[in-house]
């Protein structure tokens, strides 16, 4: 059964393009061009996944996430952006998005990413994996509130590295001799760390590199 | 005034001004000034009437003489006038005598003449100098008059004026103090203060508005300048690319190559330049961009950490570039991944595609590509290369150099 999706992007052209490309692989139950429209559409149609543009007028994707996230925690967000600016991506992930893909992604990969997010997995593009590795690269300078969230385990690092190298989950599982399920668990743990880490560098780091 | 705007838009007004008759002196061979003739021609009455008018005014307190002199000084001569037969020095002499006579007459008849007459004389002198000056000299004076405190140190005029101004201010202050009548000064100061406050109240809003307008205009100008820069860039590159894309609409590969090149260029414009900086990350990104442009594929480049480029890393980057080219040429894919990580003890670069792959052992030894350009190049610098490839699943080249 195809996941129910709301498309949020301020360019109608892009929405119709995505809708046409995805065809019947997803069930588009709503579209919105502004954060306000998006909030209304999500409340009324209760999708499984929201495909969320990072850059929109009136607060962008972040405004939608912050409004809907606490209210309807079951709805999953997949961020979609032309921006490679680390601070934008990290901000959305920290606000609760389950993954990030660029707008140049192929239709097949997008459909795959949507269904994975719908199933509760997280989606790391190579670029996002690179961001995370970069952000957690140095050991924390200041004593942290909860060290569990401030370090990646060696295994998580390995998974992220393979993601950044362009490996699919299946390939990672084969490479590391673990199950796909374990790869998924590592990925969601990393995402949780990214969201909950109190590493103050994370913010500063993202601001330092305007772009990767 | 809609009518005026409409005309202005079509330039009719400016043509009209150009044909408007100007009041000019019309010197003839026996009338060196030609003031009366000029005025007569301009307002369309007989010369004799104008002269009579001047004489009548001259009789009534000397105003006619002063007016005549003023016109002579201020009005330019008609360009087509014949050169005067009276020598210039005689002209000046006559003008000087007339001016002194007129000023004397006025000064005699007026109170405060002790101040008035010298001032008027000075003004006339200035006007004469101005009239005789050549155009470049006038330009220089205009420029100088705008700079006094900010004048360059080598501008003699600016310094002289500054000194003269300071001397005058000091002299004025000295006179006031020397003749001090303090109650009078107090009253005067009070009156001046009240007047100034009144003026400020009256004209304050106007001044404020003008300052705001000036500021707005300034920032508007800066903005429009920026807009012009961006417009120029958009015109040069983006519109060109769009035109090329339309022409190549039949070839998706070419279209996406053009689009990616343009995207990169715009990002450079928006987020700052990304030129060769001697850093590994920039070097790799530039290599990726070049391969993208040359082979119409997309390279997903992810670089974690960064370090300065040395010989070994430059070789590694060149090898990575070669691996990208190999993938682009032989793998039959549209997308290649490039990942580089700078670790404390080593630098690793991975180039991966999901293309046709190949059997490394089956590749002939004389094939330069992999062996020469990638493996040997990196090994010469103490690094190691692993090539993993299987027919059907793609290729990954791993380059590792210890630091």
């Amino acid at each position: 059964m195809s996941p129910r999706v709301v498309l949020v992007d301020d360019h109608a052209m892009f929405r119709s393009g995505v809708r046409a490309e995805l065809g019947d692989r997803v069930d588009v139950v709503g579209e919105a061009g502004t954060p306000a429209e998006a909030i209304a559409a999500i409340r009324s149609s209760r999708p499984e996944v929201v495909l969320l543009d990072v850059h929109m007028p009136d607060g962008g994707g972040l405004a939608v996430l912050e409004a809907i996230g606490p209210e309807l925690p079951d709805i999953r967000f997949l961020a979609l952006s032309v921006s490679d600016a680390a601070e934008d991506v990290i901000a959305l992930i920290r606000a609760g998005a389950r993954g990030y893909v660029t707008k140049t992604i192929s239709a097949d990969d997008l459909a795959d990413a949507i269904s994975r997010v719908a199933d509760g997995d997280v989606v790391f593009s190579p670029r996002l994996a690179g961001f995370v590795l970069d952000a957690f690269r140095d050991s924390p300078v200041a004593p942290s509130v909860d060290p569990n969230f401030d370090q990646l385990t060696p295994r998580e690092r390995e998974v992220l590295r393979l993601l950044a190298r362009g490996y699919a989950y299946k390939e990672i599982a084969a490479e590391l001799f673990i199950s796909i399920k374990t790869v998924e668990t590592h990925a969601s743990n990393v995402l949780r760390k990214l969201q909950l880490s109190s590493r103050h560098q994370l913010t500063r780091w993202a601001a330092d590199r305007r772009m990767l | 005034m809609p009518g005026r705007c409409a005309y202005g838009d079509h330039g009719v007004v400016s043509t009209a001004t150009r044909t408007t008759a100007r009041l000019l002196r019309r010197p003839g061979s026996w009338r060196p000034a030609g003031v009366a003739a000029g005025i007569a021609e301009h307002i369309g009455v007989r010369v004799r009437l104008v002269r009579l008018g001047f004489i009548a005014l001259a009789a009534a307190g000397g105003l006619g003489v002063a007016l005549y002199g003023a016109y002579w000084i201020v009005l330019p001569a008609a360009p087509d006038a014949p050169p005067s037969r009276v020598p210039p020095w005689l002209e000046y002499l006559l003008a000087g005598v007339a001016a002194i006579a007129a000023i004397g007459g006025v000064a005699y008849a007026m109170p405060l003449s002790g101040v008035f007459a010298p001032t008027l004389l000075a003004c006339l002198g200035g006007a004469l100098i101005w009239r005789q000056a050549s155009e470049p000299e006038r330009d220089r004076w205009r420029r100088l008059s705008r700079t006094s405190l900010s004048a360059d140190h080598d501008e003699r005029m600016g310094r002289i004026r500054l000194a003269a101004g300071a001397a005058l201010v000091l002299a004025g202050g000295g006179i006031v103090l020397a003749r001090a009548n303090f109650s009078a000064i107090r009253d005067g100061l009070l009156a001046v203060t009240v007047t100034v406050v009144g003026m400020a109240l009256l004209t304050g809003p106007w001044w404020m508005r003008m300052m705001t307008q000036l500021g707005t205009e300034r920032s508007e100008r800066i903005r429009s300048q920026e807009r012009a820069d961006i417009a120029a860039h958009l015109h040069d590159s983006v519109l060109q690319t769009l035109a090329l894309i339309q022409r190549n609409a039949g070839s998706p590969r070419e279209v996406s190559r053009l689009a990616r090149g343009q995207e990169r260029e715009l990002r450079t414009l928006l987020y700052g330049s990304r030129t060769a900086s001697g850093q590994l990350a920039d070097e790799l990104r530039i290599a990726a961009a070049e391969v993208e442009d040359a082979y119409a594929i997309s390279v997903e480049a992810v670089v974690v950490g960064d370090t300065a480029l040395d010989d070994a890393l430059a070789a590694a980057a060149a090898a990575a570039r070669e691996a990208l080219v190999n993938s682009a040429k032989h793998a039959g894919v549209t997308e290649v991944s490039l990942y580089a990580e700078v670790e404390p003890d080593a630098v690793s670069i991975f180039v991966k595609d999901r293309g046709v792959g190949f059997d490394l052992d089956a590749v002939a030894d004389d094939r330069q590509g992999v062996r020469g350009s990638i493996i040997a190049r990196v090994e010469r610098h103490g690094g190691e290369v692993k090539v993993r490839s299987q027919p059907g699943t793609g290729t990954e080249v791993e380059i590792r150099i210890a630091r």
Side-chain angles (χ1 to χ4, degrees), chain B residues 40-273:
Chain B
E41 190 177 315
H42 187 66
I43 58 178
V45 296
R46 264 186 265 163
V47 185
R48 211 176 303 158
L49 268 178
V50 181
R51 292 209 180 107
L52 269 176
F54 272 118
I55 290 167
L57 282 172
L63 184 60
V65 180
L67 263 182
Y68 193 90
Y71 273 128
W72 192 352
I73 289 169
V74 170
L75 292 184
D80 53 351
S84 168
R85 270 196 308 204
V86 183
W89 63 266
L90 188 59
E91 221 176 291
Y92 290 142
L93 193 71
L94 279 175
V97 169
I100 288 168
I103 292 162
V106 171
Y108 191 71
M110 283 180 68
L112 275 176
S113 53
V115 181
F116 183 71
T119 311
L120 201 59
L121 260 180
C123 288
L124 281 177
L128 263 179
I129 292 173
W130 183 255
R131 267 191 62 69
Q132 298 303 319
S134 64
E135 203 44 49
E137 271 180 315
R138 287 185 202 181
D139 270 352
R140 202 168 70 89
W141 292 341
R142 279 198 198 102
R143 209 177 57 240
L144 280 172
S145 69
R146 272 181 245 116
T147 59
S148 83
L149 284 171
S150 58
D152 288 338
H153 293 297
D154 51 347
E155 282 281 19
R156 205 162 49 88
M157 283 289 283
R159 270 185 308 178
I160 288 174
R161 203 185 37 236
L162 205 61
L168 282 177
V169 168
L170 285 178
I175 289 171
V176 167
L177 284 179
R179 299 199 177 168
N181 177 346
F182 281 104
S183 71
I185 286 180
R186 199 190 54 213
D187 287 355
L189 276 180
L190 201 66
V192 167
T193 312
V194 167
T195 314
V196 165
V197 169
M199 288 295 277
L201 282 178
L202 281 176
T203 61
W206 180 77
W207 277 107
M208 294 283 279
R209 205 168 55 233
M210 206 168 78
M211 295 306 280
T212 331
Q213 271 172 1
L214 273 177
T216 324
E217 198 183 309
R218 201 181 133 84
S219 56
E220 187 58 44
R221 207 167 49 233
I222 292 170
R223 259 205 299 280
S224 69
Q225 178 94 41
E226 274 172 3
R227 255 203 304 276
D229 284 351
I230 290 178
H233 177 87
L234 290 183
H235 182 264
D236 284 355
S237 62
V238 180
L239 289 184
Q240 292 282 3
T241 307
L242 288 177
L244 282 173
I245 284 176
Q246 286 171 41
R247 291 172 57 100
N248 291 291
S251 154
R253 211 175 157 87
E254 186 62 16
V255 167
S256 70
R257 186 177 73 85
L258 286 166
R260 261 194 101 84
Q262 186 56 56
E263 178 192 341
R264 199 165 42 243
E265 202 172 304
L266 271 181
R267 281 186 197 288
T268 313
L269 175 78
L270 293 174
Y271 302 112
S273 65

Side-chain angles (χ1 to χ4, degrees), chain A residues 121-124 132 151-163 169 172-173 176-194:
Chain A
D121 291 335
V122 300
V123 173
F124 274 96
V132 180
Q151 291 286 355
L152 298 178
T153 65
R155 201 54 155 181
E156 285 164 355
R157 254 175 224 282
E158 267 176 298
V159 169
L160 277 177
R161 246 180 223 134
L162 288 167
L163 281 168
Y169 280 15
I172 296 172
L176 299 179
F177 305 107
I178 53 179
S179 71
I180 296 183
K181 200 73 221 158
T182 316
V183 178
E184 284 167 357
T185 313
H186 284 310
S188 23
N189 285 345
V190 170
L191 196 82
R192 252 165 56 81
K193 287 186 180 179
L194 194 60

Side-chain angles (χ1 to χ4, degrees), chain A residues 6-179:
Chain A
V6 166
L7 294 178
V8 183
D9 193 296
D10 54 336
H11 295 103
M13 279 269 283
F14 183 79
R15 293 201 304 268
S16 57
V18 168
R19 197 196 258 264
E21 272 186 344
L22 292 176
D24 51 6
R25 281 178 286 190
V26 302
D27 178 13
V28 178
V29 294
E31 281 185 31
T34 65
E37 275 176 40
I39 292 165
I42 295 165
R43 278 185 187 140
S44 65
S45 60
R46 300 293 167 101
E48 289 162 77
V49 177
V50 178
L51 210 52
L52 187 62
D53 186 21
V54 176
H55 289 281
M56 282 186 291
D58 306 324
L62 201 57
V64 181
L65 259 173
E66 280 165 354
I68 294 292
E71 180 186 324
L72 300 166
D74 291 343
I75 294 178
R76 278 129 187 184
F77 290 86
L78 179 59
L80 194 61
S81 171
V82 288
S83 157
D84 296 331
E87 74 259 38
D88 295 339
V89 176
I90 296 291
L92 247 78
I93 298 288
R94 279 174 80 91
R98 305 285 291 165
Y100 154 78
V101 291
T102 49
K103 280 188 178 176
T104 48
I105 189 173
S106 72
D108 292 339
D109 290 346
L110 183 58
D112 182 48
I114 290 173
S115 58
R116 261 197 285 152
V117 169
D119 291 343
D121 291 335
V122 300
V123 173
F124 274 96
S125 65
R127 187 147 285 171
L128 177 55
F131 286 165
V132 180
L133 278 172
D134 214 353
F136 283 90
R137 212 155 76 88
D138 318 303
S139 47
V141 181
S144 49
V145 180
D146 187 342
N148 284 333
F149 295 132
D150 291 346
Q151 291 286 355
L152 298 178
T153 65
R155 201 54 155 181
E156 285 164 355
R157 254 175 224 282
E158 267 176 298
V159 169
L160 277 177
R161 246 180 223 134
L162 288 167
L163 281 168
R165 278 157 67 177
Y167 280 62
Y169 280 15
K170 198 173 65 190
E171 293 165 320
I172 296 172
E175 178 79 17
L176 299 179
F177 305 107
I178 53 179
S179 71

